[in-house]
Amino acid sequence: MSEALPAFVRGLFGGVIHDEVLFPYPEPLDVRDPNEARVVARLIRDLRQIQGDLIDSAEFDAAETIPEPVIRAFAEAGLLALTIPHEYGGLGLSSTGYARVFGAISAADASLAVLVGVHCGLGSKAIALFGSESQKIRYLPILARGETLAAYALTEPETGSDAQNIQTQAVRSADGSHWMLSGRKIWIGNGHRAGVIATFAQTVVERRGERVSRPTAFIIRPDMPGFRVVGTVRKLGIRGSTQAELAYEELAVPADHVLGEVGKGFSVAVNVLNAGRLTLAAGCASGCKRFIGEMARYASQRVQFGHPLADFEITQRKLAEATADAYAADAMVGALSAQADRAGADSAVEAACTKVFASEAVWRIADDLVQLAGGRGFVQPYPFERHLRDARINRIFEGANEVLRLFIALNGIQGPAARLKEVSAALKRPLSNFGVVSGYMTSRVTSLLGATPRIDHPLHPSLADHKRYFESHVAELALEADRAITKHRRAITDRQLVLERLANMAIELYATAAVIARTQRQIDDHGFDGSARERALCDLFCVTAGRRFRTQRLALAGREDPVDDTRRTIAAAVRAAAGYYVEDPVLEMD
């Protein structure tokens, strides 16, 4: 068994570049695993056939459902068996293969991507990872064949997706034969039509001689007594997918339907949702590429002031920056999926960085597409407004981006903060309150402040400037992290503006490293001249990412931005007034 690679982003906070994680950039799937590549190619061909025959995104959006014939066609093509192991009738795709297929589904229709993501990436995945052999034999084959859909029921009205603090309770029967679950779950994808649901409830367990509540995962079915679908919700976007509210009213669950171990449900939630961030990011990256295609076609066809919109520099800026961001998102997904395929890989922070970057990129590009289309961007039957509505949820799914930024920063500074015991102890408490976006080990990094971080992997001379700036920026991130820890000490956990800036810096660095690594792979595989377009994208992205990094660093500069105090003062006044507080003298007249 090969030794697990260190965590790349955590290392950056300590001034260490673990370039062996990203360099060399993974080979293409057809080189790494030709057999799986053929399966992926076949699945995407079948998807395109279904897309031509059955997928009507405008109709899904209007009807707010995905018709059964579409789900049946997906099942027959194997598109509902993607993550289920071969021995249980599935395709057993690697993280890389699944990300490729999921990206293609997302580009075809966002609502279908939600349906498949919940079925393959959450519900079925939970059973595949944590189910007993009897549970796998019983449920995975029918899920692989698409005889029923899987769902994943974690989110609750009071606590959201905070797995540690869910309110649903599970009490074991006196004879130990079953559990009685009581509680509610909301916004559960596939919840109204799923036949197999992975869910969570608090159970009383003994820890160090004390009886405490800890979450436990269960497999439930709608035919179990006490299960009820309360209703479904109407949404801004992804309207073809359906999110339901579920009620557990003394829901009787057999004891052999505990998923994993009693009291260990948090581990189930963390591991399943961490993988979900990779596939969400893959879908966003594919969405970026689709929208760029629509933007380019529209800009070339639409004539204003005697010229196609594509002739104007403002349009060209939008196209160029969108393409560079899509290249970066794709590079991050490729690096992350390969890392996730390594046994024991610690990629939690990288997954969060990739999800934040890709979800915000697809939102910006969808917004630019609407802007470029003008009035046509705002109305039906043009698809542009639907793209924007569908793209919005990605910044909330799988952990809101604001919370993920705190997760990135708090995990990143654990290594450098270890020298200050009081800070190290304080960091453990807030992380335990971030539900499914926390709970990972302390960073395996050693602070090398004062040393020069370096990428040791050989790079082409055309990448030398990007390498040099990247190395200097890593040193700056480590310096600012150290300054923040030293200044705020235990209070660092409450300085969310500082943590947000540190996270933004780390996200830009991870994206930049992935872009450099991917571009070096292009040069290796296609030569200097054959990689001209990729090198141009690398040049544009590294420069713009570097500028964004510099903006965040200057806001820190060893201290908080002085404007932050003004922000706090204004926010307090708005809160006290319950809104905009500047008086209008006209309204004060008699």
Side-chain angles (χ1 to χ4, degrees):
M1 180 180 295
S2 59
E3 183 178 351
L5 292 173
F8 185 83
V9 175
R10 287 194 182 104
L12 301 181
F13 279 89
V16 181
I17 301 174
H18 293 297
D19 60 355
E20 68 273 24
V21 177
L22 290 183
F23 297 87
Y25 192 78
E27 293 179 319
L29 185 60
D30 60 327
V31 176
R32 288 157 51 194
D33 190 339
N35 291 331
E36 181 171 86
R38 282 189 283 271
V39 173
V40 168
R42 191 270 298 169
L43 289 166
I44 294 176
R45 284 195 301 270
D46 289 349
L47 171 65
R48 289 172 178 165
Q49 180 64 47
I50 297 170
Q51 188 172 2
D53 294 340
L54 292 172
I55 296 177
D56 185 338
S57 296
E59 178 59 28
F60 297 170
D61 184 72
E64 299 191 14
T65 191
I66 295 169
E68 287 297 328
V70 179
I71 299 174
R72 187 77 259 141
F74 264 53
E76 291 171 358
L79 290 164
L80 298 181
L82 303 175
T83 60
I84 296 172
H86 292 284
E87 57 267 35
Y88 305 105
L91 296 177
L93 295 184
S94 66
S95 295
T96 300
Y98 178 46
R100 286 292 303 274
V101 177
F102 187 82
I105 296 170
S106 298
D109 183 80
S111 294
L112 270 169
V114 174
L115 183 147
V116 173
V118 171
H119 175 83
C120 291
L122 296 177
S124 298
K125 188 77 169 180
I127 299 173
L129 288 177
F130 294 94
S132 65
E133 186 62 21
S134 62
Q135 290 170 346
K136 293 176 182 178
I137 291 172
R138 180 171 184 176
Y139 289 117
L140 291 182
I142 63 173
L143 294 173
R145 292 191 296 269
E147 294 177 15
T148 188
L149 291 176
Y152 181 88
L154 171 64
T155 307
E156 296 186 351
E158 297 85 4
T159 58
S161 297
D162 183 352
Q164 292 278 39
N165 296 301
I166 54 175
Q167 300 298 302
T168 298
Q169 300 291 318
V171 178
R172 198 194 306 257
S173 64
D175 62 3
S177 65
H178 63 278
W179 295 80
M180 302 297 288
L181 274 60
S182 300
R184 290 214 170 190
K185 303 291 182 179
I186 59 170
W187 304 327
I188 306 306
N190 300 346
H192 70 304
R193 68 203 313 178
V196 181
I197 304 171
T199 196
F200 299 82
Q202 294 286 3
T203 53
V204 176
V205 297
E206 187 169 311
R207 293 285 187 270
R208 302 183 185 89
E210 296 183 9
R211 292 175 63 79
V212 296
S213 288
R214 294 290 185 271
T216 294
F218 297 87
I219 299 172
I220 64 173
R221 301 189 313 272
D223 61 353
M224 291 177 175
F227 178 91
R228 182 165 63 93
V229 176
V230 178
T232 58
V233 295
R234 301 196 68 187
K235 308 182 298 299
L236 172 70
I238 55 166
R239 290 178 177 170
S241 69
T242 306
Q243 280 66 44
E245 179 177 353
L246 308 179
Y248 305 158
E249 298 163 340
E250 295 292 305
L251 172 62
V253 182
D256 63 0
H257 278 55
V258 169
L259 185 57
E261 298 181 40
V262 175
K264 298 293 183 68
F266 181 76
S267 177
V268 177
V270 165
N271 282 279
V272 172
L273 287 181
N274 188 47
R277 291 187 192 119
L278 164 59
T279 48
L280 178 69
C284 291
S286 291
C288 289
K289 290 183 278 188
R290 175 181 176 174
F291 296 163
I292 289 167
E294 295 192 25
M295 191 184 300
R297 287 188 292 274
Y298 187 88
S300 297
Q301 296 165 4
R302 178 65 172 161
V303 175
Q304 292 276 269
F305 310 111
H307 292 276
L309 291 178
D311 286 353
F312 298 108
E313 287 190 341
I314 292 176
T315 303
Q316 293 167 5
R317 171 180 58 78
K318 291 179 185 293
L319 284 168
E321 291 180 354
T323 307
D325 283 349
Y327 182 69
D330 218 24
M332 296 168 82
V333 168
L336 177 61
S337 59
Q339 188 176 354
D341 282 328
R342 299 185 181 112
D346 180 11
S347 56
V349 182
E350 288 77 13
C353 290
T354 304
K355 186 270 183 182
V356 170
F357 183 92
S359 65
E360 295 186 352
V362 76
W363 170 252
R364 287 193 303 271
I365 296 170
D367 185 56
D368 278 343
L369 177 55
V370 168
Q371 186 70 20
L372 182 71
R376 291 171 176 81
F378 201 71
V379 299
Q380 297 178 0
Y382 301 98
F384 312 122
E385 57 86 26
R386 187 180 72 248
H387 293 334
L388 187 68
R389 289 189 286 107
D390 287 345
R392 184 59 183 86
I393 189 60
N394 295 303
R395 292 163 59 195
I396 300 172
F397 266 165
E398 310 291 7
N401 286 3
E402 292 78 9
V403 178
L404 288 180
R405 282 184 163 91
L406 299 179
F407 166 68
I408 291 164
L410 288 169
N411 271 274
I413 65 175
Q414 282 190 63
R419 62 186 176 80
L420 294 174
K421 292 184 178 179
E422 60 177 292
V423 182
S424 182
L427 285 175
K428 295 176 183 178
R429 286 193 293 274
L431 284 177
S432 68
N433 293 326
F434 281 127
V436 296
V437 296
S438 66
Y440 299 97
M441 68 185 74
T442 300
S443 175
R444 299 188 299 260
V445 301
T446 302
S447 176
L448 293 180
L449 296 175
T452 302
R454 299 191 63 83
I455 297 176
D456 293 324
H457 186 83
L459 298 177
H460 191 272
S462 63
L463 302 176
D465 283 346
H466 302 320
K467 173 180 179 293
R468 177 169 54 84
Y469 277 108
F470 176 79
E471 291 169 344
S472 66
H473 288 163
V474 171
E476 290 169 354
L477 171 63
L479 179 61
E480 294 303 337
D482 188 67
R483 283 175 171 169
I485 293 164
T486 302
K487 176 180 179 179
H488 300 292
R489 303 179 80 84
R490 293 174 64 91
I492 187 64
T493 58
D494 297 321
R495 314 310 295 187
Q496 293 186 357
L497 295 177
V498 173
L499 295 172
E500 180 182 56
R501 290 169 186 137
L502 291 172
N504 287 338
M505 292 163 74
I507 292 167
E508 297 293 356
L509 289 178
Y510 182 58
T512 299
V515 164
I516 293 172
R518 184 183 186 188
T519 306
Q520 180 61 53
R521 167 63 69 184
Q522 292 291 319
I523 295 172
D524 291 340
D525 291 349
H526 304 290
F528 182 77
D529 293 335
S531 58
R533 290 185 297 183
E534 289 83 0
R535 287 188 289 105
L537 290 172
C538 177
D539 290 344
L540 177 58
F541 182 80
C542 288
V543 170
T544 54
R547 289 172 178 171
R548 292 192 295 263
F549 179 95
R550 184 171 180 268
T551 298
Q552 300 296 320
R553 182 180 62 81
L554 290 176
L556 288 172
R559 64 188 187 285
E560 287 188 71
D561 187 336
V563 179
D564 287 349
D565 286 336
T566 304
R567 291 188 178 101
R568 295 188 190 97
T569 300
I570 293 173
V574 172
R575 183 179 182 182
Y580 187 74
Y581 57 79
V582 178
E583 296 181 355
D584 183 346
V586 173
L587 299 180
E588 301 301 315
M589 295 176 64
D590 293 332

